[in-house]
Protein backbone atom coordinates (compact mmCIF):
# COMPACT_ATOMS: atom_id res chain seq x y z
CA UNK A 1 0.00 0.00 0.00
CA UNK A 2 1.51 3.30 -1.07
CA UNK A 3 1.35 6.31 1.15
CA UNK A 4 2.98 9.62 1.98
CA UNK A 5 3.68 11.16 5.36
CA UNK A 6 4.64 14.75 6.12
CA UNK A 7 6.63 16.17 8.98
CA UNK A 8 8.39 19.35 9.95
CA UNK A 9 5.63 21.84 10.57
CA UNK A 10 5.68 24.21 13.50
CA UNK A 11 5.39 27.77 14.68
CA UNK A 12 7.78 30.51 13.61
CA UNK A 13 7.88 34.25 13.58
CA UNK A 14 7.56 36.22 10.39
CA UNK A 15 10.81 36.18 8.48
CA UNK A 16 11.74 32.75 9.78
CA UNK A 17 12.30 29.50 7.94
CA UNK A 18 11.01 25.95 8.07
CA UNK A 19 11.73 22.71 6.27
CA UNK A 20 8.95 20.26 5.58
CA UNK A 21 9.63 16.64 4.69
CA UNK A 22 7.46 14.06 2.97
CA UNK A 23 8.37 10.39 2.82
CA UNK A 24 6.94 8.15 0.11
CA UNK A 25 6.31 4.53 1.05
CA UNK A 26 5.47 2.06 -1.69
CA UNK A 27 6.38 1.27 -5.23
CA UNK A 28 8.01 4.14 -7.06
CA UNK A 29 6.07 3.06 -10.15
CA UNK A 30 2.90 4.42 -8.58
CA UNK A 31 4.04 7.98 -8.80
CA UNK A 32 6.17 10.19 -11.05
CA UNK A 33 5.45 13.47 -9.31
CA UNK A 34 5.09 14.80 -5.81
CA UNK A 35 3.78 18.10 -4.59
CA UNK A 36 2.98 20.36 -1.69
CA UNK A 37 -0.44 21.88 -1.19
CA UNK A 38 -1.71 24.03 1.61
CA UNK A 39 -5.03 25.05 3.05
CA UNK A 40 -5.49 28.05 5.28
CA UNK A 41 -8.51 28.43 7.57
CA UNK A 42 -11.56 29.44 5.57
CA UNK A 43 -9.75 29.18 2.26
CA UNK A 44 -9.59 26.64 -0.50
CA UNK A 45 -6.66 24.32 -0.87
CA UNK A 46 -3.94 25.67 -3.15
CA UNK A 47 -0.90 24.17 -4.77
CA UNK A 48 2.48 25.44 -3.64
CA UNK A 49 5.09 23.47 -5.56
CA UNK A 50 5.55 20.20 -7.40
CA UNK A 51 8.45 18.11 -8.61
CA UNK A 52 9.05 15.39 -11.17
CA UNK A 53 10.77 12.60 -9.27
CA UNK A 54 12.58 11.19 -12.31
CA UNK A 55 14.69 14.26 -12.94
CA UNK A 56 13.76 16.57 -10.04
CA UNK A 57 12.31 19.23 -12.30
CA UNK A 58 10.41 21.65 -10.05
CA UNK A 59 7.27 23.62 -10.71
CA UNK A 60 6.11 26.49 -8.52
CA UNK A 61 2.75 28.09 -8.07
CA UNK A 62 2.71 31.81 -7.43
CA UNK A 63 2.28 31.11 -3.74
CA UNK A 64 5.54 29.20 -3.59
CA UNK A 65 7.69 31.05 -6.05
CA UNK A 66 10.70 32.95 -4.82
CA UNK A 67 10.63 32.03 -1.15
CA UNK A 68 10.07 28.29 -1.30
CA UNK A 69 12.31 25.57 -2.73
CA UNK A 70 11.15 22.05 -3.48
CA UNK A 71 13.61 19.18 -3.72
CA UNK A 72 13.49 15.42 -3.89
CA UNK A 73 15.98 12.83 -2.70
CA UNK A 74 15.55 9.70 -4.81
CA UNK A 75 17.66 7.56 -2.53
CA UNK A 76 15.46 8.39 0.45
CA UNK A 77 12.14 8.65 -1.44
CA UNK A 78 11.72 11.92 0.38
CA UNK A 79 10.54 15.31 -0.82
CA UNK A 80 11.35 18.53 0.96
CA UNK A 81 9.98 22.04 1.01
CA UNK A 82 12.34 24.72 2.22
CA UNK A 83 10.40 27.81 3.20
CA UNK A 84 12.16 31.09 3.87
CA UNK A 85 11.07 34.60 4.78
CA UNK A 86 7.80 33.20 6.02
CA UNK A 87 4.82 35.50 6.30
CA UNK A 88 1.66 35.28 8.41
CA UNK A 89 -0.29 34.53 5.23
CA UNK A 90 1.73 31.33 4.86
CA UNK A 91 -0.08 29.97 7.90
CA UNK A 92 -1.88 26.83 6.78
CA UNK A 93 -1.98 23.07 6.95
CA UNK A 94 0.55 21.82 4.42
CA UNK A 95 -0.18 18.58 2.62
CA UNK A 96 2.10 16.30 0.70
CA UNK A 97 0.71 14.56 -2.35
CA UNK A 98 1.97 12.10 -4.95
CA UNK A 99 0.69 10.56 -8.15
CA UNK A 100 1.15 9.82 -11.81
CA UNK A 101 0.92 13.15 -13.60
CA UNK A 102 0.98 13.73 -17.34
CA UNK A 103 2.59 16.62 -19.13
CA UNK A 104 0.61 19.36 -17.43
CA UNK A 105 2.22 19.39 -14.01
CA UNK A 106 1.31 23.02 -13.52
CA UNK A 107 -2.37 22.33 -14.13
CA UNK A 108 -2.24 19.35 -11.80
CA UNK A 109 -0.75 21.61 -9.14
CA UNK A 110 -3.66 24.02 -9.58
CA UNK A 111 -6.40 21.38 -9.43
CA UNK A 112 -4.88 18.51 -7.47
CA UNK A 113 -6.05 16.15 -10.21
CA UNK A 114 -3.88 13.08 -10.55
CA UNK A 115 -2.42 13.26 -7.08
CA UNK A 116 -3.92 10.10 -5.64
CA UNK A 117 -1.90 9.85 -2.48
CA UNK A 118 -2.26 12.46 0.24
CA UNK A 119 -0.74 12.88 3.64
CA UNK A 120 -2.50 13.89 6.84
CA UNK A 121 -1.06 17.39 6.76
CA UNK A 122 1.30 19.33 8.97
CA UNK A 123 0.48 22.69 10.54
CA UNK A 124 2.62 25.72 9.80
CA UNK A 125 1.90 28.81 11.86
CA UNK A 126 3.66 32.11 11.22
CA UNK A 127 3.20 34.87 13.75
CA UNK A 128 3.77 38.55 13.09
Amino acid sequence: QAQVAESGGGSVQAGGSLKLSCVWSGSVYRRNSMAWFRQAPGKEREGVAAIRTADNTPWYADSGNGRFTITHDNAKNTMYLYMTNLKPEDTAVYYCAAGMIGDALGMALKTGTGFNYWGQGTQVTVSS
Side-chain angles (χ1 to χ4, degrees):
Q1 188 78 353
Q3 62 182 10
V4 292
E6 316 92 336
S7 62
S11 297
V12 296
Q13 290 190 327
S17 302
L18 276 176
K19 183 182 80 171
L20 305 183
S21 301
C22 173
V23 179
W24 165 267
S25 300
S27 171
V28 296
Y29 298 106
R30 290 178 176 267
R31 57 104 174 104
N32 64 5
S33 303
M34 297 180 72
W36 291 100
F37 292 80
R38 70 184 183 184
Q39 187 165 20
K43 294 188 176 181
E44 292 188 355
R45 184 188 66 197
E46 65 173 349
V48 176
I51 192 163
R52 296 284 193 190
T53 55
D55 59 10
N56 291 332
T57 300
W59 187 282
Y60 294 97
D62 289 343
S63 60
N65 206 359
R67 298 182 294 119
F68 297 175
T69 302
I70 188 171
T71 64
H72 178 258
D73 185 330
N74 284 311
K76 296 181 179 180
N77 278 333
T78 302
M79 175 180 65
Y80 303 96
L81 185 68
Y82 297 86
M83 304 184 292
T84 63
N85 191 21
L86 283 161
K87 303 176 180 180
E89 51 264 41
D90 294 317
T91 295
V93 177
Y94 284 70
Y95 297 91
C96 169
M100 294 297 290
I101 308 297
D103 292 340
L105 182 59
M107 181 57 68
L109 187 59
K110 283 185 179 180
T111 64
T113 302
F115 289 104
N116 296 321
Y117 304 96
W118 292 82
Q120 295 294 316
T122 185
Q123 176 71 45
V124 171
T125 303
V126 184
S127 58
S128 58

